[in-house]
């Protein structure tokens, strides 16, 4: 069965797309730690990030770098954190999180509750 991320990439499940190319897809996390929290995934469904082929992993990092640059320009933050956890969904992915300090990357804290309009506004800013 396809992962939820594969279903998002295929358009079976809606998402707030930020960027896409032939190999990678970036979209807003619907349970964000901060505004602009984005997930970057390879279109190839591989569970563990370090099981990706070297070329795919390198390409994913370059793609994520471009997305992070957009986040840095459009979202008020000191840095864009890159986090790889990978246990919750069996599809390799990177979290790009706009942060003011290290506490912004605490996955145990309460997530933001954004409206669909807020998600759409952020996605529009990041996908320009």
């Amino acid at each position: 069965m396809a992962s939820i991320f594969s279903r998002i990439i295929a358009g079976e499940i809606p998402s707030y797309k930020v960027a896409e190319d032939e190999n990678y897809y970036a979209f807003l996390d619907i349970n964000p730690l901060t505004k602009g929290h984005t997930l970057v995934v390879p279109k190839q469904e591989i569970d563990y990030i370090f099981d990706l082929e070297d070329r795919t992993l390198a390409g994913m990092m370059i793609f994520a770098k471009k997305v992070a640059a957009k986040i840095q320009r459009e979202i008020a933050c000191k840095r864009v954190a890159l986090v790889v956890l990978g246990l919750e969904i069996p599809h390799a992915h990177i979290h790009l999180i706009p942060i003011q300090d290290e506490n912004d990357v605490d996955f145990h804290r309460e997530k933001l509750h954004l409206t669909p309009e807020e998600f759409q506004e952020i996605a529009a800013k990041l996908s320009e």
Side-chain angles (χ1 to χ4, degrees):
M1 182 174 171
S3 77
I4 190 169
F5 291 163
S6 290
R7 295 179 65 210
I8 287 170
I9 293 163
E12 297 170 17
I13 297 173
S15 69
Y16 299 100
K17 181 170 71 171
V18 170
E20 179 179 20
D21 70 12
E22 63 278 358
N23 297 309
Y24 309 99
Y25 193 87
F27 57 101
L28 296 178
D29 190 315
I30 60 168
N31 295 302
L33 293 175
T34 64
K35 284 187 178 182
H37 181 166
T38 300
L39 298 174
V40 174
V41 300
K43 289 185 175 178
Q44 177 185 23
E45 187 174 315
I46 301 285
D47 179 13
Y48 183 46
I49 196 164
F50 293 122
D51 286 339
L52 293 171
E53 292 181 17
D54 290 350
R55 171 180 266 149
T56 303
L57 179 58
M60 187 173 168
M61 292 302 293
I62 292 166
F63 182 83
K65 180 180 178 182
K66 292 174 186 174
V67 173
K70 287 182 185 180
I71 293 170
Q72 185 82 44
R73 281 193 307 269
E74 298 296 333
I75 305 292
C77 62
K78 287 185 181 175
R79 298 257 170 114
V80 176
L82 184 147
V83 178
V84 177
L85 295 174
L87 294 175
E88 63 277 8
I89 296 176
H91 192 136
H93 59 285
I94 294 170
H95 294 262
L96 297 177
I97 307 166
I99 62 170
Q100 296 300 333
D101 63 50
E102 291 175 358
N103 293 323
D104 290 337
V105 187
D106 179 359
F107 280 81
H108 293 101
R109 69 188 186 110
E110 186 174 346
K111 308 301 186 277
L112 293 182
H113 299 284
L114 303 176
T115 66
E117 294 78 21
E118 288 174 302
F119 278 115
Q120 289 168 353
E121 181 182 326
I122 295 166
K125 285 169 59 172
L126 297 180
S127 62
E128 294 174 347

